[in-house]
Structures are given as structure tokens and as C-alpha cells.
């Protein structure tokens, strides 16, 4: 098959072997630059050795101005496809970079994030809708709790996974341990924007949309959260992880940290691997 290029309002999608056939599909999304790298490492384990079925480009992407050879950082988001243990089709969307988000709860922070994020997410979801995507799971960490000093917000505890249903929003999030979360949990973009727009734009009669949150810490690699999220993906989604891929990515992150002047995890989180000669190795 030959490539097919789909041009949307603010986004260009290169389907590597043409568009997939229409079939009921569950979309899993993760952002690879979250603190502790839990969604990134788990997500790469879910992808395993699969090649991308689509590359997603936009002028609104926060791609680096400089790059490296012979392992250049790729500027696009990547979409993968695999089946779960029951034979159900899953798309996995890897957000390789995202517009800069200041980790702050101040109202004056991040005023322009919507401008750069909404158009691309809208285009991607509208492109996937006719292919049969009727469920979405966004894998995230409880990052903003690290910056909250308010007693009106809650956090996900170590070893827990909290699940928020975006279709039935009136239901309080529940953790996998059975704890009901009654206080607010603060979600940054794009963790809330993907399910929000998916629910609004989906043409399917019956849909599902969830945000799956692990605990968060300033550890370089949050191994406990990774184990919890792997367990959720296996038990609930029927998606197992490629352990060899997990180990490879984890080792590369530790190796990457040695190339920074300051290996503080927040620096790595904010850089998104874009300043590293190892940036291309996760392709």
C-alpha cells in the first residue's frame, strides 16, 4: 500500500499504509514528557516493536528549532495500532512533545495553551472518529498535586490508580483500591482536553472516555507508578507491556539524564528529550 496524506484545518496526517478500515477501536493517549515518565514508559511498553501507522504534523506543535544527526528528534506525534488479548483493536497515540505548560496553579499562567492545543487535538479526534474510535483512555500522572498547597484538592496515593469517567462526570473518581476521591484533582492540558473534546465531537451513540491517573513524584523514574499503570492496562484494557522495550526506554532515560548539566527530573520533564543526542532513539 502507499502513503495517504490527510490534510485538516491545522494538522496533516501521513497514513503510512493508507487509512485503516473502519472498526470499533479504543484510543489510548499518553504524553511522553510527564514528570516521572510513568505514562511514557508504560505507553512505550504497550507499543512494543510496532511501527507507527500514522505521523501527525502541525504548525502548532512545539517542535525544536535545532536538531541532531545522526539521530534527529522527529517533530510529529505518532499513532500506533495493536490488538489486545481479546482481539479488540487499539490505537495508541504518542504525544512526543506538547506546547510548553508551566507547572503552576496561578490563574495568570498558561494563558496561551488553549490556542496551541485545541486545534490539533480537535483535528486528530475528528480524523479518527470515522475509523470507529468510540472509546478513549488518557494515561496521566497526578503531576499538579506536586505544586498544590491547598487543602481543597486531593492527590493519588502511591500505588493507586485513579479513574475519572468523562462521560459520567457526576461520578466521583475511584481508585483501584476502592477509595472514592471527593476533592478536586487538578489536570493540566492535554490530560483533560482529549476526553473533553472526544465526548463533544464523537459521532458514535455509545462512547467511553476515561482519564487514568497514577501517583506522581519528583523521582527521575517513578517505578512504583509504572507498575500500577501496567497492571491497570493489563487487567482493564487487556493490553500487556513488552518488558524488553520498557527496560530499554528506562535505561535510555537514565542515560539521558547524565547528559544534562543538572539531572533534576523537572529539567528532563520540561525538556522533553529535545535537547539530547538520544532524542531519536525512541522512534
Amino acid at each position: 500500500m502507499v502513503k495517504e496524506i490527510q490534510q485538516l484545518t491545522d494538522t496533516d496526517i501521513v497514513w503510512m499504509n493508507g487509512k485503516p478500515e473502519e472498526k470499533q477501536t479504543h484510543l489510548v493517549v499518553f504524553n511522553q514528557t510527564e514528570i516521572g515518565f510513568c505514562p511514557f514508559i508504560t505507553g512505550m511498553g504497550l507499543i512494543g516493536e510496532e511501527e507507527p501507522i500514522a505521523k501527525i504534523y502541525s504548525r502548532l506543535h512545539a517542535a525544536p528549532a535545532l536538531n541532531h544527526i545522526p539521530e534527529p528528534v522527529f517533530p510529529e506525534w505518532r499513532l500506533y495500532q495493536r490488538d489486545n488479548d481479546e482481539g479488540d483493536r487499539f490505537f495508541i497515540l504518542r504525544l512526543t512533545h506538547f506546547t510548553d505548560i508551566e507547572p503552576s496553579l496561578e490563574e495568570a499562567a498558561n494563558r496561551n495553551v488553549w490556542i496551541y492545543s485545541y486545534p490539533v487535538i480537535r483535528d486528530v479526534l475528528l480524523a479518527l472518529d470515522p475509523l470507529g474510535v468510540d472509546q478513549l483512555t488518557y494515561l496521566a500522572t497526578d503531576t499538579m498535586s506536586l505544586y498544590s498547597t491547598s487543602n481543597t484538592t486531593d492527590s493519588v496515593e502511591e500505588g493507586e490508580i485513579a479513574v475519572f469517567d468523562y462521560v459520567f462526570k457526576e461520578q466521583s473518581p475511584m481508585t483501584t483500591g476502592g477509595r472514592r476521591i471527593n476533592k478536586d484533582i487538578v489536570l493540566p492540558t492535554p490530560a483533560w482536553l482529549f476526553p473533553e473534546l472526544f465526548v463533544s465531537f464523537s459521532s458514535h451513540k455509545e462512547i467511553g472516555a476515561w482519564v487514568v491517573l497514577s501517583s506522581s513524584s519528583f523521582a527521575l523514574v517513578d517505578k512504583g507508578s509504572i507498575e500500577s499503570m501496567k497492571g491497570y492496562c493489563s487487567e482493564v484494557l487487556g493490553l500487556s507491556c513488552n518488558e524488553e522495550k520498557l527496560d530499554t526506554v528506562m535505561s535510555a532515560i537514565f542515560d539521558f539524564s547524565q547528559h544534562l548539566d543538572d539531572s533534576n527530573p523537572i529539567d528532563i520533564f520540561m525538556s522533553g528529550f529535545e535537547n539530547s543526542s538520544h532524542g531519536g532513539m525512541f522512534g
Side-chain angles (χ1 to χ4, degrees), residues 197-223:
L197 297 185
F198 175 78
V199 170
S200 295
F201 292 156
S202 178
S203 66
H204 301 280
K205 291 183 179 180
E206 295 186 9
I207 61 173
W210 302 269
V211 176
V212 175
L213 285 170
S214 72
S215 60
S216 189
S217 76
F218 282 115
L220 175 58
V221 171
D222 193 339
K223 294 182 179 180

PDB file of all heavy atoms in Angstrom, residues 197-223:
ATOM      1  N   LEU A 197     -12.947  16.916  24.489  1.00  0.00           N
ATOM      2  CA  LEU A 197     -13.288  17.097  23.080  1.00  0.00           C
ATOM      3  C   LEU A 197     -13.792  15.799  22.454  1.00  0.00           C
ATOM      4  O   LEU A 197     -14.668  15.818  21.587  1.00  0.00           O
ATOM      5  CB  LEU A 197     -12.074  17.612  22.309  1.00  0.00           C
ATOM      6  CG  LEU A 197     -11.558  18.987  22.722  1.00  0.00           C
ATOM      7  CD1 LEU A 197     -10.429  19.427  21.791  1.00  0.00           C
ATOM      8  CD2 LEU A 197     -12.671  20.028  22.725  1.00  0.00           C
ATOM      9  N   PHE A 198     -13.261  14.682  22.903  1.00  0.00           N
ATOM     10  CA  PHE A 198     -13.732  13.400  22.383  1.00  0.00           C
ATOM     11  C   PHE A 198     -15.224  13.215  22.664  1.00  0.00           C
ATOM     12  O   PHE A 198     -15.990  12.829  21.769  1.00  0.00           O
ATOM     13  CB  PHE A 198     -12.934  12.262  23.008  1.00  0.00           C
ATOM     14  CG  PHE A 198     -13.434  10.890  22.625  1.00  0.00           C
ATOM     15  CD1 PHE A 198     -13.127  10.347  21.392  1.00  0.00           C
ATOM     16  CD2 PHE A 198     -14.222  10.149  23.507  1.00  0.00           C
ATOM     17  CE1 PHE A 198     -13.598   9.084  21.032  1.00  0.00           C
ATOM     18  CE2 PHE A 198     -14.683   8.895  23.159  1.00  0.00           C
ATOM     19  CZ  PHE A 198     -14.376   8.358  21.925  1.00  0.00           C
ATOM     20  N   VAL A 199     -15.635  13.487  23.882  1.00  0.00           N
ATOM     21  CA  VAL A 199     -17.047  13.341  24.247  1.00  0.00           C
ATOM     22  C   VAL A 199     -17.910  14.300  23.434  1.00  0.00           C
ATOM     23  O   VAL A 199     -19.016  13.958  22.987  1.00  0.00           O
ATOM     24  CB  VAL A 199     -17.234  13.580  25.757  1.00  0.00           C
ATOM     25  CG1 VAL A 199     -18.709  13.668  26.125  1.00  0.00           C
ATOM     26  CG2 VAL A 199     -16.561  12.464  26.554  1.00  0.00           C
ATOM     27  N   SER A 200     -17.419  15.503  23.195  1.00  0.00           N
ATOM     28  CA  SER A 200     -18.197  16.504  22.453  1.00  0.00           C
ATOM     29  C   SER A 200     -18.308  16.181  20.969  1.00  0.00           C
ATOM     30  O   SER A 200     -19.352  16.385  20.355  1.00  0.00           O
ATOM     31  CB  SER A 200     -17.572  17.890  22.623  1.00  0.00           C
ATOM     32  OG  SER A 200     -17.640  18.319  23.969  1.00  0.00           O
ATOM     33  N   PHE A 201     -17.229  15.676  20.372  1.00  0.00           N
ATOM     34  CA  PHE A 201     -17.174  15.536  18.917  1.00  0.00           C
ATOM     35  C   PHE A 201     -17.520  14.142  18.401  1.00  0.00           C
ATOM     36  O   PHE A 201     -17.738  13.981  17.198  1.00  0.00           O
ATOM     37  CB  PHE A 201     -15.777  15.901  18.409  1.00  0.00           C
ATOM     38  CG  PHE A 201     -15.432  17.357  18.555  1.00  0.00           C
ATOM     39  CD1 PHE A 201     -14.104  17.764  18.626  1.00  0.00           C
ATOM     40  CD2 PHE A 201     -16.419  18.323  18.634  1.00  0.00           C
ATOM     41  CE1 PHE A 201     -13.775  19.104  18.756  1.00  0.00           C
ATOM     42  CE2 PHE A 201     -16.108  19.669  18.772  1.00  0.00           C
ATOM     43  CZ  PHE A 201     -14.787  20.065  18.825  1.00  0.00           C
ATOM     44  N   SER A 202     -17.554  13.159  19.265  1.00  0.00           N
ATOM     45  CA  SER A 202     -17.786  11.797  18.784  1.00  0.00           C
ATOM     46  C   SER A 202     -19.169  11.676  18.149  1.00  0.00           C
ATOM     47  O   SER A 202     -20.162  12.189  18.651  1.00  0.00           O
ATOM     48  CB  SER A 202     -17.670  10.794  19.938  1.00  0.00           C
ATOM     49  OG  SER A 202     -17.939   9.485  19.466  1.00  0.00           O
ATOM     50  N   SER A 203     -19.213  10.955  17.030  1.00  0.00           N
ATOM     51  CA  SER A 203     -20.480  10.727  16.327  1.00  0.00           C
ATOM     52  C   SER A 203     -21.128   9.407  16.733  1.00  0.00           C
ATOM     53  O   SER A 203     -22.224   9.079  16.263  1.00  0.00           O
ATOM     54  CB  SER A 203     -20.233  10.733  14.814  1.00  0.00           C
ATOM     55  OG  SER A 203     -19.430   9.626  14.433  1.00  0.00           O
ATOM     56  N   HIS A 204     -20.478   8.648  17.604  1.00  0.00           N
ATOM     57  CA  HIS A 204     -20.971   7.326  17.963  1.00  0.00           C
ATOM     58  C   HIS A 204     -22.013   7.422  19.084  1.00  0.00           C
ATOM     59  O   HIS A 204     -21.913   8.272  19.974  1.00  0.00           O
ATOM     60  CB  HIS A 204     -19.809   6.439  18.388  1.00  0.00           C
ATOM     61  CG  HIS A 204     -18.767   6.287  17.316  1.00  0.00           C
ATOM     62  ND1 HIS A 204     -18.897   5.427  16.254  1.00  0.00           N
ATOM     63  CD2 HIS A 204     -17.572   6.920  17.135  1.00  0.00           C
ATOM     64  CE1 HIS A 204     -17.831   5.525  15.468  1.00  0.00           C
ATOM     65  NE2 HIS A 204     -17.024   6.420  15.980  1.00  0.00           N
ATOM     66  N   LYS A 205     -22.988   6.541  19.043  1.00  0.00           N
ATOM     67  CA  LYS A 205     -24.087   6.582  20.008  1.00  0.00           C
ATOM     68  C   LYS A 205     -23.621   6.193  21.410  1.00  0.00           C
ATOM     69  O   LYS A 205     -24.051   6.784  22.406  1.00  0.00           O
ATOM     70  CB  LYS A 205     -25.219   5.662  19.552  1.00  0.00           C
ATOM     71  CG  LYS A 205     -25.946   6.158  18.298  1.00  0.00           C
ATOM     72  CD  LYS A 205     -27.103   5.242  17.937  1.00  0.00           C
ATOM     73  CE  LYS A 205     -27.843   5.757  16.716  1.00  0.00           C
ATOM     74  NZ  LYS A 205     -28.978   4.866  16.336  1.00  0.00           N
ATOM     75  N   GLU A 206     -22.801   5.183  21.500  1.00  0.00           N
ATOM     76  CA  GLU A 206     -22.294   4.727  22.792  1.00  0.00           C
ATOM     77  C   GLU A 206     -20.788   4.919  22.818  1.00  0.00           C
ATOM     78  O   GLU A 206     -20.070   4.355  21.977  1.00  0.00           O
ATOM     79  CB  GLU A 206     -22.655   3.261  23.030  1.00  0.00           C
ATOM     80  CG  GLU A 206     -24.153   3.017  23.152  1.00  0.00           C
ATOM     81  CD  GLU A 206     -24.478   1.581  23.519  1.00  0.00           C
ATOM     82  OE1 GLU A 206     -23.525   0.826  23.839  1.00  0.00           O
ATOM     83  OE2 GLU A 206     -25.662   1.221  23.483  1.00  0.00           O
ATOM     84  N   ILE A 207     -20.318   5.702  23.780  1.00  0.00           N
ATOM     85  CA  ILE A 207     -18.884   6.003  23.855  1.00  0.00           C
ATOM     86  C   ILE A 207     -18.398   5.838  25.293  1.00  0.00           C
ATOM     87  O   ILE A 207     -19.187   5.790  26.241  1.00  0.00           O
ATOM     88  CB  ILE A 207     -18.577   7.438  23.370  1.00  0.00           C
ATOM     89  CG1 ILE A 207     -19.293   8.469  24.261  1.00  0.00           C
ATOM     90  CG2 ILE A 207     -18.956   7.610  21.917  1.00  0.00           C
ATOM     91  CD1 ILE A 207     -18.899   9.908  23.937  1.00  0.00           C
ATOM     92  N   GLY A 208     -17.096   5.784  25.440  1.00  0.00           N
ATOM     93  CA  GLY A 208     -16.469   5.765  26.759  1.00  0.00           C
ATOM     94  C   GLY A 208     -15.237   6.639  26.729  1.00  0.00           C
ATOM     95  O   GLY A 208     -14.523   6.698  25.723  1.00  0.00           O
ATOM     96  N   ALA A 209     -15.002   7.360  27.818  1.00  0.00           N
ATOM     97  CA  ALA A 209     -13.820   8.224  27.906  1.00  0.00           C
ATOM     98  C   ALA A 209     -13.361   8.295  29.353  1.00  0.00           C
ATOM     99  O   ALA A 209     -14.174   8.616  30.241  1.00  0.00           O
ATOM    100  CB  ALA A 209     -14.131   9.626  27.374  1.00  0.00           C
ATOM    101  N   TRP A 210     -12.074   8.000  29.570  1.00  0.00           N
ATOM    102  CA  TRP A 210     -11.556   7.954  30.930  1.00  0.00           C
ATOM    103  C   TRP A 210     -10.184   8.612  31.006  1.00  0.00           C
ATOM    104  O   TRP A 210      -9.382   8.513  30.072  1.00  0.00           O
ATOM    105  CB  TRP A 210     -11.411   6.500  31.401  1.00  0.00           C
ATOM    106  CG  TRP A 210     -12.684   5.724  31.350  1.00  0.00           C
ATOM    107  CD1 TRP A 210     -13.622   5.583  32.339  1.00  0.00           C
ATOM    108  CD2 TRP A 210     -13.176   4.955  30.236  1.00  0.00           C
ATOM    109  NE1 TRP A 210     -14.653   4.788  31.914  1.00  0.00           N
ATOM    110  CE2 TRP A 210     -14.416   4.399  30.628  1.00  0.00           C
ATOM    111  CE3 TRP A 210     -12.696   4.698  28.954  1.00  0.00           C
ATOM    112  CZ2 TRP A 210     -15.173   3.583  29.775  1.00  0.00           C
ATOM    113  CZ3 TRP A 210     -13.447   3.911  28.103  1.00  0.00           C
ATOM    114  CH2 TRP A 210     -14.669   3.347  28.522  1.00  0.00           C
ATOM    115  N   VAL A 211      -9.921   9.265  32.135  1.00  0.00           N
ATOM    116  CA  VAL A 211      -8.571   9.690  32.481  1.00  0.00           C
ATOM    117  C   VAL A 211      -8.076   8.739  33.556  1.00  0.00           C
ATOM    118  O   VAL A 211      -8.743   8.561  34.589  1.00  0.00           O
ATOM    119  CB  VAL A 211      -8.534  11.140  32.986  1.00  0.00           C
ATOM    120  CG1 VAL A 211      -7.121  11.509  33.442  1.00  0.00           C
ATOM    121  CG2 VAL A 211      -8.991  12.097  31.900  1.00  0.00           C
ATOM    122  N   VAL A 212      -6.934   8.127  33.313  1.00  0.00           N
ATOM    123  CA  VAL A 212      -6.351   7.158  34.243  1.00  0.00           C
ATOM    124  C   VAL A 212      -5.103   7.789  34.839  1.00  0.00           C
ATOM    125  O   VAL A 212      -4.130   8.072  34.141  1.00  0.00           O
ATOM    126  CB  VAL A 212      -6.005   5.839  33.520  1.00  0.00           C
ATOM    127  CG1 VAL A 212      -5.299   4.878  34.463  1.00  0.00           C
ATOM    128  CG2 VAL A 212      -7.270   5.207  32.948  1.00  0.00           C
ATOM    129  N   LEU A 213      -5.144   8.042  36.157  1.00  0.00           N
ATOM    130  CA  LEU A 213      -4.087   8.782  36.842  1.00  0.00           C
ATOM    131  C   LEU A 213      -3.301   7.890  37.791  1.00  0.00           C
ATOM    132  O   LEU A 213      -3.881   7.188  38.626  1.00  0.00           O
ATOM    133  CB  LEU A 213      -4.684   9.927  37.665  1.00  0.00           C
ATOM    134  CG  LEU A 213      -5.180  11.178  36.946  1.00  0.00           C
ATOM    135  CD1 LEU A 213      -5.952  12.048  37.930  1.00  0.00           C
ATOM    136  CD2 LEU A 213      -4.016  11.946  36.363  1.00  0.00           C
ATOM    137  N   SER A 214      -1.991   7.944  37.677  1.00  0.00           N
ATOM    138  CA  SER A 214      -1.133   7.320  38.674  1.00  0.00           C
ATOM    139  C   SER A 214      -0.657   8.397  39.634  1.00  0.00           C
ATOM    140  O   SER A 214      -0.838   9.596  39.397  1.00  0.00           O
ATOM    141  CB  SER A 214       0.068   6.640  38.004  1.00  0.00           C
ATOM    142  OG  SER A 214       0.976   7.624  37.531  1.00  0.00           O
ATOM    143  N   SER A 215      -0.026   7.987  40.729  1.00  0.00           N
ATOM    144  CA  SER A 215       0.580   8.954  41.634  1.00  0.00           C
ATOM    145  C   SER A 215       1.770   9.600  40.934  1.00  0.00           C
ATOM    146  O   SER A 215       2.222   9.149  39.875  1.00  0.00           O
ATOM    147  CB  SER A 215       1.033   8.273  42.929  1.00  0.00           C
ATOM    148  OG  SER A 215       1.984   7.260  42.641  1.00  0.00           O
ATOM    149  N   SER A 216       2.291  10.653  41.531  1.00  0.00           N
ATOM    150  CA  SER A 216       3.403  11.369  40.918  1.00  0.00           C
ATOM    151  C   SER A 216       4.443  11.703  41.973  1.00  0.00           C
ATOM    152  O   SER A 216       4.126  11.855  43.153  1.00  0.00           O
ATOM    153  CB  SER A 216       2.910  12.656  40.253  1.00  0.00           C
ATOM    154  OG  SER A 216       3.929  13.261  39.484  1.00  0.00           O
ATOM    155  N   SER A 217       5.680  11.798  41.525  1.00  0.00           N
ATOM    156  CA  SER A 217       6.756  12.185  42.424  1.00  0.00           C
ATOM    157  C   SER A 217       7.851  12.824  41.582  1.00  0.00           C
ATOM    158  O   SER A 217       7.834  12.776  40.355  1.00  0.00           O
ATOM    159  CB  SER A 217       7.314  10.975  43.181  1.00  0.00           C
ATOM    160  OG  SER A 217       8.132  10.195  42.332  1.00  0.00           O
ATOM    161  N   PHE A 218       8.832  13.435  42.261  1.00  0.00           N
ATOM    162  CA  PHE A 218       9.939  14.054  41.552  1.00  0.00           C
ATOM    163  C   PHE A 218      11.073  13.069  41.273  1.00  0.00           C
ATOM    164  O   PHE A 218      12.162  13.466  40.862  1.00  0.00           O
ATOM    165  CB  PHE A 218      10.473  15.251  42.341  1.00  0.00           C
ATOM    166  CG  PHE A 218       9.617  16.479  42.213  1.00  0.00           C
ATOM    167  CD1 PHE A 218       8.959  16.993  43.322  1.00  0.00           C
ATOM    168  CD2 PHE A 218       9.479  17.109  40.996  1.00  0.00           C
ATOM    169  CE1 PHE A 218       8.168  18.132  43.207  1.00  0.00           C
ATOM    170  CE2 PHE A 218       8.695  18.248  40.866  1.00  0.00           C
ATOM    171  CZ  PHE A 218       8.039  18.764  41.972  1.00  0.00           C
ATOM    172  N   ALA A 219      10.803  11.786  41.476  1.00  0.00           N
ATOM    173  CA  ALA A 219      11.803  10.782  41.119  1.00  0.00           C
ATOM    174  C   ALA A 219      12.049  10.831  39.619  1.00  0.00           C
ATOM    175  O   ALA A 219      11.137  11.107  38.838  1.00  0.00           O
ATOM    176  CB  ALA A 219      11.322   9.393  41.522  1.00  0.00           C
ATOM    177  N   LEU A 220      13.278  10.573  39.224  1.00  0.00           N
ATOM    178  CA  LEU A 220      13.590  10.581  37.800  1.00  0.00           C
ATOM    179  C   LEU A 220      12.688   9.615  37.050  1.00  0.00           C
ATOM    180  O   LEU A 220      12.064   9.967  36.035  1.00  0.00           O
ATOM    181  CB  LEU A 220      15.059  10.210  37.579  1.00  0.00           C
ATOM    182  CG  LEU A 220      15.512  10.052  36.126  1.00  0.00           C
ATOM    183  CD1 LEU A 220      15.257  11.328  35.334  1.00  0.00           C
ATOM    184  CD2 LEU A 220      16.976   9.663  36.066  1.00  0.00           C
ATOM    185  N   VAL A 221      12.593   8.383  37.550  1.00  0.00           N
ATOM    186  CA  VAL A 221      11.678   7.390  37.001  1.00  0.00           C
ATOM    187  C   VAL A 221      10.854   6.836  38.156  1.00  0.00           C
ATOM    188  O   VAL A 221      11.409   6.281  39.104  1.00  0.00           O
ATOM    189  CB  VAL A 221      12.436   6.251  36.283  1.00  0.00           C
ATOM    190  CG1 VAL A 221      11.481   5.128  35.913  1.00  0.00           C
ATOM    191  CG2 VAL A 221      13.152   6.776  35.047  1.00  0.00           C
ATOM    192  N   ASP A 222       9.545   7.013  38.083  1.00  0.00           N
ATOM    193  CA  ASP A 222       8.654   6.584  39.157  1.00  0.00           C
ATOM    194  C   ASP A 222       8.249   5.127  38.915  1.00  0.00           C
ATOM    195  O   ASP A 222       7.211   4.836  38.321  1.00  0.00           O
ATOM    196  CB  ASP A 222       7.420   7.493  39.187  1.00  0.00           C
ATOM    197  CG  ASP A 222       6.598   7.330  40.451  1.00  0.00           C
ATOM    198  OD1 ASP A 222       6.729   6.273  41.105  1.00  0.00           O
ATOM    199  OD2 ASP A 222       5.821   8.238  40.783  1.00  0.00           O
ATOM    200  N   LYS A 223       9.085   4.204  39.381  1.00  0.00           N
ATOM    201  CA  LYS A 223       8.889   2.788  39.080  1.00  0.00           C
ATOM    202  C   LYS A 223       7.608   2.227  39.698  1.00  0.00           C
ATOM    203  O   LYS A 223       6.950   1.368  39.104  1.00  0.00           O
ATOM    204  CB  LYS A 223      10.102   1.984  39.548  1.00  0.00           C
ATOM    205  CG  LYS A 223      11.380   2.308  38.783  1.00  0.00           C
ATOM    206  CD  LYS A 223      12.549   1.436  39.246  1.00  0.00           C
ATOM    207  CE  LYS A 223      13.810   1.744  38.458  1.00  0.00           C
ATOM    208  NZ  LYS A 223      14.952   0.904  38.882  1.00  0.00           N
TER     209      LYS A 223
END
